[in-house]
Amino acid sequence: MENIHMLIDGQWVGNKDDQWINVINPASNEKTTQIVRGNLQHADLAVQAAKQALKSKEWRAFKPFERGQFLHETARYIRDNAEELAALESLDTGKPSAQATSDVEAAARYFEFYGGMADKVFGDTIPVEADLLNVTVIEPIGVTLHIVPWNYPIQITSRSVAAALATGNVVIVKSSEDTPLSTNFLAKWFHEKLPKGVFQHVTGYGAEIGAALTSHTGINQITFTGSVPTGISVMKSAADNVVPVTLELGGKSPNIVFEDADLERAIPAIVNSIVQNAGQTCSAGSRLLVAESIADEVLESLMKKFCQLKVGPPVHQADVGPIINGKQYERILGILADIGKDAKLLTGGQAVKVDGFENGFYISPAIIEAADHDSAFVQEEIFGPVLSVIRFKGIEQAIELANATDYGLVAGIWTKDIDKAHYTAARIESGQVFINSYGAAGGVQMPFGGYKKSGIGREKSHLAVQNYIQIKNIAIQIRL
Ligand code: NAD
């Protein structure tokens, strides 16, 4: 595959004098391509070009409805190329083809959704005094930086880029060093269709070009998805320049299964919530809180399902793909080796050698029953196919345990009793609560974001445009 160049100021950047980083296919641990190791100078060039583009006549000439039409065209382009994009996403991340296909469809939906909003974001008229016409005008916030992780590259890029372009901003995307392919594909489209500098794609290490961008005085807004420590450092850089951040930092989300739950619905959803994308999902249902009276039955069903899951590369039509890279793979195996003597590994948790893909990073999906909810593996985000289980007695203990982590992204509640469901949902500290479902098919329309250390702000939904606008109040004194 050809090397991936950065898109800066309308030019494809990267030559023999640059340093290059290998991109690895996690299904086989083989090199697929190389990206440019972006540096301070690249960061500065991108920001200067973005500032020019923001002021340019060409971009300002796009009327809001034309931005909307363009975003709809982008959605069509994504759908027309869905097969190729899904293949790139699978190659980069190792995720099963069906999952990659649904990620590509979600990306198209983001462009449609925010395309539809482009000409529907407007200000107010405020009654102050008879001779004062007071209005608010909505303006783009300016140069927006989108730092994207490796787990859902096309979805996460599309969700914030679509909202930012819809509201007239310019964007710089820093893709993950592990997964640049789908963003590069989109970059080619934007390069052809938009004035130079409106969409730019930079590559390289987070600590280098990523940090150079987050601390750059020319950046006006940052949307970051990734780990808590990196999110904190991004926020500190942003604070130096008084720049707003939207942070989506992951979770340790509980599925709470009450004794009256419909297990036929609950069990498959619980399995999917932790094995989807090999557990490398910020909203993974990685903690199972189960009523003591049904715990044995639930665990038996889950173990049966886990044993039936096929682990392997996309070409094997597997259910569970590889872990993204060697570092994450070793980290997860280390956590599994260190669960403590009182915890019980009920199934899985082993390194798997797949025929023909012996160097891929495969781990069999694991269920661990914890003796202590304070154990590190129950509290910390593992970001792998590992389900931690705790039994509870009564609704109050279920709620207490559900809230007893630093995170608060998503929760699932399983019960046929609407009062119990509602009572629990009202007390859960998380940005999203699902009752008798989990994930609800993604839903670009639903606000998504965290309480506590799961983040700041909301992505998705009509609310996300708020991240990308500024409000100007204009008061006009009228001579009556
Ligand atoms: P990370 O937070 O280090 O990286 C995410 C993105 O931030 C990447 O594009 C990276 O290049 C960039 N980055 C890294 N350091 C940066 C810095 N100092 N300044 C600016 N940008 C920087 O995540 P990771 O190392 O790829 O994964 C490690 C852990 O992160 C995982 O185990 C998981 O817990 C978490 N994670 C969460 C999500 C999520 O969806 N919330 C996604 C991926 C990873």
Side-chain angles (χ1 to χ4, degrees):
M1 183 180 279
E2 61 177 19
N3 283 350
I4 305 285
H5 290 72
M6 297 194 279
L7 177 62
I8 298 178
D9 199 14
Q11 306 291 322
W12 295 107
V13 173
N15 59 39
K16 61 177 175 26
D17 296 329
D18 284 305
Q19 292 188 41
W20 294 79
I21 302 169
N22 287 343
V23 179
I24 301 297
N25 173 2
S28 60
N29 196 10
E30 284 162 6
K31 177 181 150 189
T32 43
T33 183
Q34 290 185 307
I35 52 169
V36 185
R37 182 172 171 179
N39 57 34
L40 215 65
Q41 285 74 32
H42 294 125
D44 193 49
L45 282 175
V47 174
Q48 299 312 337
K51 285 166 74 172
Q52 289 298 325
L54 186 68
K55 286 190 284 184
S56 72
K57 280 202 197 90
E58 291 87 345
W59 184 226
R60 286 186 168 221
F62 269 68
K63 299 182 180 81
F65 83 89
E66 289 170 340
R67 293 199 300 263
Q69 284 174 334
F70 170 68
L71 295 179
H72 274 90
E73 253 180 72
T74 303
R76 271 195 299 281
Y77 173 75
I78 290 174
R79 287 221 177 81
D80 289 347
N81 292 282
E83 217 173 298
E84 187 176 350
L85 264 166
L88 287 176
E89 199 77 333
S90 275
L91 179 66
D92 236 3
T93 61
K95 67 177 69 188
S97 312
Q99 169 76 63
T101 303
S102 101
D103 289 1
V104 170
E105 171 56 21
R109 288 282 300 117
Y110 283 119
F111 283 103
E112 275 171 359
F113 184 83
Y114 292 109
M117 285 195 72
D119 56 358
K120 297 171 196 69
V121 181
F122 43 74
D124 300 310
T125 312
I126 301 169
V128 184
E129 288 169 27
D131 58 353
L132 193 74
L133 176 59
N134 193 274
V135 295
T136 55
V137 175
I138 306 291
E139 295 183 350
I141 197 160
V143 179
T144 64
L145 172 62
H146 306 249
I147 301 184
V148 179
W150 40 257
N151 54 346
Y152 291 85
I154 191 160
Q155 273 209 56
I156 293 176
T157 300
S158 300
R159 79 179 178 199
S160 60
V161 165
L165 290 179
T167 36
N169 296 277
V170 297
V171 306
I172 300 174
V173 178
K174 151 74 181 82
S175 57
S176 163
E177 44 275 49
D178 288 307
T179 55
L181 298 183
S182 55
T183 309
N184 180 55
F185 193 95
L186 291 181
K188 290 180 184 166
W189 163 258
F190 289 125
H191 176 55
E192 200 184 301
K193 299 285 176 182
L194 287 176
K196 66 175 184 173
V198 172
F199 177 99
Q200 301 183 86
H201 175 209
V202 300
T203 58
Y205 292 120
E208 296 178 356
I209 190 163
L213 284 166
T214 56
S215 58
H216 200 294
T217 53
I219 296 287
N220 304 120
Q221 188 275 347
I222 302 173
T223 294
F224 170 82
T225 307
S227 63
V228 173
T230 309
I232 291 170
S233 94
V234 166
M235 196 170 171
K236 284 182 178 164
S237 294
D240 285 339
N241 295 322
V242 196
V243 161
V245 290
T246 302
L247 302 177
E248 203 260 273
L249 306 180
K252 194 73 185 181
S253 299
N255 264 301
I256 306 168
V257 185
F258 287 107
E259 51 287 338
D260 62 343
D262 176 349
L263 294 184
E264 262 178 49
R265 286 165 78 191
I267 297 289
I270 292 166
V271 173
N272 188 50
S273 76
I274 184 63
V275 302
Q276 175 180 316
N277 212 36
Q280 303 167 114
T281 305
C282 46
S283 56
S286 50
R287 273 187 307 147
L288 175 66
L289 306 176
V290 57
E292 176 119 71
S293 57
I294 56 162
D296 289 339
E297 181 191 354
V298 168
L299 287 178
E300 202 177 307
S301 306
L302 284 174
M303 283 192 284
K304 220 182 261 170
K305 291 261 187 225
F306 268 50
C307 292
Q308 289 160 359
L309 293 167
K310 184 170 165 186
V311 180
V315 288
H316 287 185
Q317 309 302 332
D319 305 301
V320 184
I323 302 304
I324 190 70
N325 57 34
K327 191 172 152 206
Q328 289 289 99
Y329 173 74
E330 295 300 339
R331 190 182 63 78
I332 296 166
L333 289 175
I335 292 169
L336 286 163
D338 197 25
I339 58 171
K341 61 179 174 18
D342 295 331
K344 275 188 269 175
L345 179 64
L346 300 179
T347 184
Q350 310 301 319
V352 175
K353 291 283 163 216
V354 177
D355 280 350
F357 293 83
E358 285 79 5
N359 295 322
F361 305 117
Y362 301 98
I363 297 178
S364 53
I367 303 177
I368 311 173
E369 181 159 8
D372 182 358
H373 193 265
D374 290 336
S375 311
F377 73 89
V378 184
Q379 290 292 318
E380 287 163 19
E381 190 176 41
I382 296 176
F383 235 58
V386 182
L387 178 65
S388 306
V389 182
I390 284 270
R391 299 173 192 233
F392 68 81
K393 285 193 194 118
I395 188 167
E396 295 307 329
Q397 194 190 15
I399 294 166
E400 191 189 320
L401 290 172
N403 290 334
T405 74
D406 286 344
Y407 293 103
L409 193 56
V410 173
I413 298 171
W414 298 91
T415 173
K416 291 181 195 139
D417 179 340
I418 187 70
D419 294 334
K420 196 191 285 176
H422 219 56
Y423 179 89
T424 308
R427 281 157 186 78
I428 293 288
E429 295 162 356
S430 75
Q432 203 163 41
V433 179
F434 294 104
I435 295 169
N436 294 327
S437 81
Y438 197 94
V444 307
Q445 307 90 331
M446 306 186 301
F448 179 66
Y451 280 36
K452 304 191 281 187
K453 284 193 178 164
S454 285
I456 294 180
R458 293 294 175 268
E459 300 261 26
K460 303 184 169 187
S461 86
H462 64 293
L463 297 174
V465 296
Q466 301 297 328
N467 303 331
Y468 304 103
I469 60 170
Q470 334 199 48
I471 295 170
K472 181 177 283 172
N473 184 249
I474 302 180
I476 308 166
Q477 188 73 57
I478 298 164
R479 195 189 290 257
L480 290 177

